[in-house]
Amino acid sequence: MLNFNFQNPTKINFGEGQIEVIAKEIPADAKVLLVYGGGSIKSNGVYQQVIDALAEHTYFEFSGIEPNPKYDTLMKAQEIIKAENIDYILAVGGGSVVDGAKFIAAAALFEGSSENSEPWDIIAKQAPITKALPLGAILTLPATGSESNGNSVVTRDGNKRPFSSPFVRPLFAVLDPTVTLSLSDRQVSNGVVDAFVHTIEQYLTYSVNGKVQDRFSEGLLQILIEEGPKALATETKDDLEVRANIMWSATMALNGLIGAGVPQDWSTHMIGHELTGAHGIDHARTLSIVLPAVMKVKREQKRGKLLQYAERVWNITEGDEDVRIDKAIKLTEDFFKTMQVPTRLSDVDLGSDDIELLITNLESQGMTALGEHGDITLEVSREILTQAL
Ligand code: NZQ
Ligand code: ZN
């Protein structure tokens, strides 16, 4: 196992009816900015629950954060933060809203190193964050793990870029599975697939004998394989037990626990971000296209873990090594198809002519040495995208 430091201070409030706890989680004298997206929280009753819980607080609102949140949108929140002396951010929504709120919280206190500094430096120059407004999250879409990690992804001019800081990790998160019942099948699928790929990015690398991390990851993958299809099936889609297990799995998949002390890949995500940036494809749907191709192209480097994955996650014990690996990759693709997400570039009407732009964009972002070995060069990314055609 590798050395690691692990601390996750986000307090999780899990279960039906937990939104009301924000009344106590947020300091009584805070000036709160309630941040949300395009309005789903108004139609599913979440907004009303939040407003009721904030009855004793002073709060203002900032809405309109779009999926794959845009820098220009997020910067508009700075006006109200300054005008009203906001000192607490409450994000209510999916990963985009929580990520957007993190950027808003960091940008509000960003000083920069010179008078030409701007908050975009947090992302473009990975400028150090030394403080941020305190942040809490009410999660409405289980997928990203953003509710209890320090990561955020922001888009500017088609460039989708991540940043990370412990200062933007939510102080608390409310996870009420009932609020996920209003999600469309597409968003449910996206969430399950995103959480699945987060687990894979931290698991399917090479063994360092991290037994705890491996068994946790294998458990999460099996839960998502079992429960994901149930959340789409007519008879079980409203089952709160199913929703609860998916929600907690998605949080656990990217709250730092399974990735501590093990190598991590993330090449599927980095290549996927270019697909979203250039073509607007939903985040999870880029992952379901890229991951099977990464498994195929990096098969030799990942051989040991692919065999472990085949045996422990898919119960494949028959056949020689290559047969078992082929079967595991095939079952992964079949799972994605069951979850109704694309597994090929052709499924989203992209072809070989579209690959060069993605490679150019990877290059301009410095994404030239991806993966757990840093050996996914632009040439290998091209091979992966070609494999995904
Ligand atoms: O904007 P509203 O009206 O709220 O609608 C949203 C949005 O249209 C809707 N929605 C959310 N909760 C709902 C709901 N509709 C009905 N009922 C509910 N309960 O769903 C749509 C998609 O929401 P979004 O937040 O974009 O989805 P998701 O949670 O999948 O977040 C995706 C973003 O997170 C980033 C992605 O790159 C992408 O920008 N990621 C963040 C990560 C992190 N912070 O650690 C890691 C991930 O790998 C990922 O990159
Ligand atoms: Zn993701």
Side-chain angles (χ1 to χ4, degrees), residues 19 44 46 49 139-141 176-183 247:
I19 290 176
N44 64 9
V46 170
Q49 289 185 63
L139 188 72
T140 63
L141 196 173
D176 177 348
T178 59
V179 313
T180 71
L181 293 174
S182 59
L183 286 166
M247 198 168 209

Side-chain angles (χ1 to χ4, degrees), residues 133-378:
L133 292 177
L135 175 84
I138 298 174
L139 188 72
T140 63
L141 196 173
T144 60
S146 188
E147 66 280 5
S148 81
N149 68 37
N151 309 331
S152 168
V153 189
V154 176
T155 299
R156 189 180 195 184
D157 302 330
N159 285 327
K160 203 172 171 210
R161 306 279 302 271
F163 79 97
S164 190
S165 165
F167 290 101
V168 297
R169 198 189 277 269
L171 299 177
F172 72 84
V174 174
L175 302 177
D176 177 348
T178 59
V179 313
T180 71
L181 293 174
S182 59
L183 286 166
S184 64
D185 285 356
R186 184 186 181 107
Q187 298 304 344
V188 169
S189 301
N190 284 353
V192 169
V193 169
D194 194 20
F196 186 92
V197 180
H198 292 159
T199 311
I200 289 278
E201 298 271 28
Q202 300 162 90
Y203 166 77
L204 199 70
T205 57
Y206 56 91
S207 178
V208 291
N209 203 18
K211 288 178 184 281
V212 174
Q213 297 88 329
D214 281 4
R215 294 286 187 187
F216 260 97
S217 296
E218 289 152 2
L220 291 173
L221 294 170
Q222 287 186 318
I223 294 163
L224 292 164
I225 291 164
E226 278 167 25
E227 303 299 297
K230 291 187 200 163
L232 297 179
T234 316
E235 321 78 63
T236 42
K237 68 189 312 176
D238 292 338
D239 184 335
L240 276 179
E241 296 287 325
V242 170
R243 300 297 180 130
N245 280 303
I246 290 174
M247 198 168 209
W248 189 222
S249 299
T251 300
M252 291 297 286
L254 200 50
N255 68 355
L257 182 73
I258 63 168
V262 293
Q264 302 192 12
D265 181 344
W266 296 106
S267 59
T268 297
H269 268 71
M270 294 309 134
I271 298 170
H273 286 338
E274 298 309 337
L275 279 165
T276 303
H279 301 286
I281 301 165
D282 294 357
H283 172 63
R285 290 163 170 252
T286 70
L287 308 177
S288 57
I289 291 168
V290 177
L291 178 65
V294 169
M295 287 175 163
K296 289 170 195 166
V297 170
K298 300 305 290 177
R299 173 187 189 109
E300 288 315 316
Q301 292 84 351
K302 292 181 182 291
R303 177 168 283 268
K305 271 299 182 74
L306 275 166
L307 287 165
Q308 185 177 322
Y309 170 67
E311 181 177 344
R312 294 194 190 168
V313 176
W314 293 107
N315 302 313
I316 302 167
T317 52
E318 306 280 313
D320 68 24
E321 286 191 5
D322 284 312
V323 167
R324 281 180 272 152
I325 290 174
D326 286 342
K327 203 164 173 196
I329 296 173
K330 166 87 171 46
L331 286 172
T332 308
E333 287 177 306
D334 289 350
F335 168 60
F336 289 160
K337 286 180 190 152
T338 306
M339 293 310 296
Q340 301 164 13
V341 291
T343 55
R344 298 280 169 166
L345 286 169
S346 52
D347 295 338
V348 293
D349 298 326
L350 294 179
S352 49
D353 293 350
D354 299 297
I355 292 179
E356 220 37 55
L357 172 68
L358 302 169
I359 298 298
T360 305
N361 291 350
L362 279 168
E363 185 171 23
S364 69
Q365 314 273 349
M367 299 289 161
T368 55
L370 301 175
E372 65 271 20
H373 299 291
D375 60 354
I376 301 185
T377 57
L378 292 177

Side-chain angles (χ1 to χ4, degrees), residues 25-27 30-33 35 81 86-91 101-102 104-106 108-109 131-137 166-172:
E25 295 289 359
I26 303 172
K31 286 186 106 180
V32 183
L33 186 62
V35 170
I81 288 174
I86 297 292
D87 58 14
Y88 204 104
I89 310 284
L90 175 63
K102 289 174 177 178
I104 291 170
L109 302 186
K131 52 192 169 176
L133 292 177
L135 175 84
F167 290 101
V168 297
R169 198 189 277 269
L171 299 177
F172 72 84

